[in-house]
Amino acid sequence: MVKGAGGVSAPFIRRPIATSLLMIGILFVGLVAYPRLPVAPLPQVEFPTIQVSAQLPGASPETMASSVAQPLERQFAQIPGVSQMTSTSALGTSTITVQFDLDRNIDAAAQDVQAAINAAGGQLPKNLPNPPTYKKVNPADTPILIITAQSDTLPLIEVDDNADTKLAQQLSQISGVAQVSIGGEQKPAVRIQLDPAKLASRGLSLEDVRAQIALATVDSPKGSVDGPTRNFTIYANDQLTQAEPWNDVIVAYRSGAPIRIRDIGQAHRRAVAVGDDKVLVIGGFF
């Protein structure tokens, strides 16, 4: 027996066999528990990141990059604390992702981004339908579930409509779902093909036709009819969703005679392809 030992280690020194068995037991428990230690595949790391989107229908990717993305990027580059900035331009849309230092407050950064968007307003195209919008995103929230929807009997337009209005809506209501996005879409659209020679012969320009087309399809209030005992609301949807009615739209008058779309071109109904032959419903979870 060792004399003079005291404190916490005294019992272990006086009982070496029991101490050895205890250490072996702890080692055995550690070996069994080690493979069962939880490892987070998606660590919760909050990166202060803001994504800015701008749309200009009909603009090519080169036009979006030069006239929309560049003015915004110049303003964003002046914001303090920007660590990384990337942009992607496609047909009619530009997306700019601005990532800030980890110690940067995301709410303060959002205010700076909004101020930069306002400052760039004078350099953006005048025909931009809506000002650029921004939202807070987290790059760590990568999609962890991808669902493919396709049909051998239905056209892709109907598959896309069902995925957008039914499937995506239900998935977004599930607890823990952060965002549901849809890719590979095809949207119905009416395309009007104009003959430049016929336009020139009637003294019209593409801008003249575009302005009249924008006025031809609207869904605006029509008013009401007041009776002695009842009030009736007038409803009529003036939006043109098929190609045939577009051919009868009047775009101008020359010598008292109307000029219609069919006189200078033709309207076709077709799908706007945004992907391949499948619709992908992508869900990101918190």
Side-chain angles (χ1 to χ4, degrees):
M1 178 180 294
V2 179
K3 298 181 182 284
V8 180
S9 59
F12 301 98
I13 296 176
R14 287 195 297 267
R15 298 174 177 82
I17 298 177
T19 301
S20 300
L21 294 176
L22 179 61
M23 294 298 103
I24 294 174
I26 294 175
L27 176 63
F28 178 76
V29 171
L31 293 176
V32 173
Y34 180 77
R36 293 174 171 80
L37 289 176
V39 178
L42 298 175
Q44 296 295 328
V45 180
E46 294 292 338
F47 294 95
T49 306
I50 294 180
Q51 189 176 81
V52 181
S53 301
Q55 285 79 33
L56 183 58
S60 64
E62 293 79 10
T63 302
M64 294 299 301
S66 60
S67 63
V68 177
Q70 279 190 3
L72 291 172
E73 289 175 348
R74 282 194 293 266
Q75 295 296 328
F76 295 154
Q78 301 177 21
I79 301 177
V82 174
S83 61
Q84 185 179 0
M85 180 168 53
T86 58
S87 66
T88 303
S89 296
L91 179 62
T93 180
S94 284
T95 302
I96 304 174
T97 303
V98 185
Q99 184 172 324
F100 296 87
D101 297 333
L102 291 177
D103 57 350
R104 188 75 155 84
N105 183 270
I106 187 64
D107 295 325
Q111 296 178 4
D112 292 341
V113 168
Q114 182 61 64
I117 293 175
N118 297 336
Q123 306 174 38
L124 297 176
K126 302 302 181 184
N127 57 342
L128 208 65
N130 298 299
T133 59
Y134 71 90
K135 63 180 179 180
K136 304 171 186 177
V137 298
N138 185 10
D141 293 337
T142 56
I144 62 174
L145 177 64
I146 298 179
I147 302 175
T148 303
Q150 59 181 343
S151 174
D152 297 332
T153 57
L154 296 177
L156 187 56
I157 295 177
E158 294 187 22
V159 177
D160 172 37
D161 182 68
N162 284 278
D164 189 10
T165 60
K166 299 177 182 179
L167 182 58
Q169 299 297 326
Q170 294 295 324
L171 290 176
S172 63
Q173 298 176 14
I174 299 176
S175 177
V177 175
Q179 183 180 8
V180 177
S181 58
I182 300 178
E185 300 178 85
Q186 277 196 356
K187 297 294 185 182
V190 175
R191 297 300 180 99
I192 298 177
Q193 296 178 345
L194 301 177
D195 189 337
K198 294 180 179 180
L199 283 174
S201 65
R202 290 167 172 80
L204 294 175
S205 64
L206 291 176
E207 181 60 27
D208 296 333
V209 178
R210 187 205 64 81
Q212 293 302 317
I213 289 176
L215 297 175
T217 175
V218 294
D219 187 13
S220 59
K222 304 302 184 294
S224 60
V225 178
D226 297 327
T229 58
R230 294 184 179 181
N231 178 278
F232 299 92
T233 301
I234 301 174
Y235 172 74
N237 191 342
D238 296 337
Q239 291 179 312
L240 304 178
T241 58
Q242 301 298 324
E244 291 76 12
W246 277 103
N247 290 316
D248 296 325
V249 171
I250 299 175
V251 296
Y253 287 88
R254 290 295 183 269
S255 301
I259 299 177
R260 306 179 187 274
I261 292 293
R262 64 168 175 263
D263 299 327
I264 56 178
Q266 190 175 8
H268 301 273
R269 179 175 173 84
R270 56 175 295 183
V272 178
V274 194
D276 51 17
D277 60 344
K278 299 182 180 65
V279 176
L280 304 180
V281 182
I282 305 174
F285 289 77
F286 285 119

